[in-house]
Structure formats: structure tokens, C-alpha cells
Amino acid sequence: MAKRKSKKHKKLPLAVSVVVLLAALCYGVFTGTIPLEKWISGETKTSAAITSGLLNPDAEVAIHFIDVGQGDSVYIKAYDKNILIDAGEKETTQTDVVEYLRALGVEKLDYVIGSHPHSDHIGGLQAVVESFEIGTVIMPRIPDNIVPTTSTYRNLLTAISKKGLKIKAAQDCGEIVLSEGKDAKLTFLGPVSDYEDLNSMSAWVKFSAKGYSALFCGDAEKEAEKELIELGNEIECNILKLNHHGSSTSNTKKFLDAASPDCFVICVGKDNSYNHPTPSVLKRVSEYDKPVYRTDLNGSVVFEFEDGALRCITER
């Protein structure tokens, strides 16, 4: 997968481009797959991947789109820093996020980000906060008139408080350099306004390292997408997690054009009742002729950032 084109990055030579394209099409070097029986053999999904030799435990930078069913959970390893964005529902028939992280050897999460207070994103965060040493918790500042009163949200706030932690507002984070002397950073691009919809209050987070980038926007809806683009925020990226599980209430063509990713990831549950991802969005995405990874079809999806390349490994 080519690096993001910019004034700083030259285009790949034609021969290299052809090799990358062929690899993507044949799911060879570009994408490894792990036989399903290995993933359900009693080991956790991550440990099975590591012992199979497909995941590189020494990878300096990696992004894990964890299959939590109908919800979001993304783990980012950035050199010596560990970041978690969301953790799915409190109870899921899919991957247990705490076990997944432990299988990777994670003991401390330097940043825990709750994209927005809906249960399919923050439901599992209570257990995460209670199970690991936590550095900084980041969540969007929610307008008073739409602050949720759910037990899921209240229990998470209680768990955070019991740890002696305070929540930093996503709107106040700006850019966070993750490792001194390295190029890894988190850039918080939104939310840029107070919306009436909790989905649009999602934190917009761009992760960059080794010349590549990934964009995570929670469940941001069309109005939030439109305003962010109009403000001129830099959302171009290599990896784009589609907003709101591929819903047609998000993912406008203008947004996808502005992001201009090299591949798409959809965090979504199999046979979900919301009809996510919606056919219209799938059709729109297909027109870009880029790889599309779905947790309902591919299981957990892992990107390892290597020098000069992105390596993708799928559960199935």
C-alpha cells in the first residue's frame, strides 16, 4: 500500500506500484489470512495469530481493528505507547477486549479514548479501565442537553473516578506527540461544534506514524463531516474507518473524497439489525476500487506499519 501522496512523498516507481497492486489483489504479502480453526482453537484470537507467525510481536507500530461484533474497538501500538479507542459493548459474543490486549502483552494503556457515549463504543471501557494501568482518558465534551443518563455511561464515569483519573476533553487535545524522537502522533480534529446528536459529537482522531495515517471518527454523521471539511481540516489518510459502521447517515461522497484513503475498514456485526453497512455506502465505496475490510466478514483486522509499506493481516 503506497504512502500518502504529498509534496513530501514521491510517487512509487511503476514497477513497485505493480507489485503492490498484485499483492493486494492476491492477498499474498499484502494480506495474510489465518485459518478459522486456529482462531477458534481455544486460544485468544491474538495469541493464535502471533503463534502462527502472521502477526509480528516486535512490530513498532500497529493498528488492530478488533472484532467486537456490532461496535467499535481499535488498539494502536505506537512504539512504546499503547492507545485504545472504544471497546464495544459491555457483553459481546465476539472478542473480549481485555483478553485481546493481555494476549498482546499490554499492561498499561497510555491513552484511552471513548469516541462518544453510546454503549456499542464505551460499553466495554469500564472493564478496560478496571483491568489496566491507565495514563490519560479522553472523551468529547458533551452539551448539557444531550448528556446521556444510561447506566453504561455512569458506570464508566465511576470506574474512571475510582482510579483517580480525570477526563480530558477531546476538543482540548489538539496534537499529541506519542514518543519523543519518533514521528507518531495523535491529532484531534473534532468535534468542531455542539451538535444535537450524540453520534456527531464523536471525537475525530487521526493517527500518524512512519509516513502513514489512519482516521477514526466514531459515528460522526453527515453534518459533522460537512463542517469539518468546510473548515479545511486535513483528513486525508491511508486507512479510513468508515463512520457509524458504514451507515448511510454518514460517509458522504465529499467526505470520502476528502479522506482519499488507500483502503477502508468497516467495524460491524454480522447480520446486525441496523442493516449496516448500508448498500448505498458499499456501492459508493466500491467506486474507489480500494480494498475494503469488514470485521463481520474478515474478523479482526491488523495493520502493521513497516518502513515503506503497510502490512495487513486478517483473521479470516
Side-chain angles (χ1 to χ4, degrees):
M1 189 180 296
K3 287 188 178 181
R4 169 57 46 212
K5 296 184 181 75
S6 70
K7 293 181 180 179
K8 295 182 180 180
H9 295 133
K10 295 181 180 180
K11 291 184 178 180
L12 287 174
L14 178 59
V16 177
S17 298
V18 171
V19 170
V20 171
L21 177 60
L22 289 176
L25 291 175
C26 70
Y27 291 86
V29 176
F30 181 78
T31 302
T33 58
I34 299 172
L36 182 59
E37 61 269 18
K38 285 192 176 183
W39 290 89
I40 61 175
S41 63
E43 301 176 355
T44 66
K45 294 182 176 182
T46 305
S47 63
I50 291 173
T51 56
S52 73
L54 288 176
L55 285 188
N56 176 13
D58 298 320
E60 292 183 313
V61 180
I63 300 177
H64 295 240
F65 292 86
I66 306 171
D67 178 15
V68 292
Q70 183 64 16
D72 277 17
S73 186
V74 180
Y75 163 67
I76 301 172
K77 176 187 178 184
Y79 300 103
D80 61 340
K81 294 295 190 293
N82 297 306
I83 303 105
L84 183 71
I85 305 175
D86 294 334
E89 293 279 3
K90 181 177 181 180
E91 296 179 358
T92 174
T93 58
Q94 303 298 322
T95 308
D96 182 287
V97 174
V98 171
E99 290 184 4
Y100 191 102
L101 296 174
R102 284 176 173 163
L104 284 174
V106 174
E107 297 180 352
K108 176 183 178 180
L109 289 166
D110 298 277
Y111 296 94
V112 171
I113 302 169
S115 66
H116 65 294
H118 278 155
S119 64
D120 59 331
H121 291 257
I122 65 163
L125 283 183
Q126 177 186 347
V128 169
V129 170
E130 293 171 345
S131 300
F132 296 96
E133 180 184 351
I134 306 294
T136 303
V137 178
I138 299 172
M139 297 179 70
R141 185 187 301 111
I142 304 298
D144 291 342
N145 62 314
I146 60 169
V147 172
T149 58
T150 62
S151 59
T152 298
Y153 186 49
R154 293 197 307 270
N155 291 342
L156 174 58
L157 297 181
T158 299
I160 293 170
S161 179
K162 285 184 176 180
K163 274 286 185 79
L165 299 167
K166 293 185 178 180
I167 299 173
K168 185 171 184 178
Q171 292 93 326
D172 300 333
C173 286
E175 183 175 287
I176 297 175
V177 177
L178 295 171
S179 298
E180 292 298 328
K182 304 290 186 180
D183 59 353
K185 63 182 179 180
L186 294 172
T187 305
F188 287 79
L189 302 172
V192 296
S193 295
D194 285 350
Y195 300 101
E196 293 298 319
D197 187 340
L198 269 179
N199 286 332
S200 286
M201 289 306 302
S202 293
W204 290 59
V205 187
K206 185 174 183 178
F207 169 70
S208 305
K210 289 183 176 285
Y212 298 102
S213 60
L215 184 64
F216 315 93
C217 305
D219 284 354
E221 305 280 15
K222 293 178 181 178
E223 58 177 344
E225 294 177 352
K226 181 176 183 291
E227 187 167 8
L228 195 71
I229 294 170
E230 289 176 345
L231 289 173
N233 283 287
E234 177 55 61
I235 67 170
E236 192 176 24
C237 59
N238 297 98
I239 304 167
L240 175 65
K241 183 194 78 67
L242 287 188
N243 297 337
H244 202 177
H245 319 290
S247 171
S248 60
T249 59
S250 310
N251 308 294
T252 63
K253 187 178 187 304
K254 285 188 177 180
F255 170 73
L256 299 181
D257 284 346
S260 184
D262 292 313
C263 70
F264 302 90
V265 179
I266 309 175
C267 295
V268 64
K270 184 177 180 181
D271 300 326
N272 66 84
S273 60
Y274 304 98
N275 196 32
H276 292 159
T278 53
S280 60
V281 170
L282 289 177
K283 182 178 184 298
R284 187 175 304 145
V285 167
S286 71
E287 294 171 355
Y288 293 88
D289 196 25
K290 302 291 185 180
V292 179
Y293 301 96
R294 296 170 48 166
T295 55
D296 61 334
L297 302 179
N298 301 116
S300 295
V301 179
V302 181
F303 290 89
E304 294 176 348
F305 287 42
E306 300 175 349
D307 293 330
L310 284 178
R311 179 170 179 261
C312 182
I313 307 95
T314 61
E315 176 184 342
R316 55 183 179 270

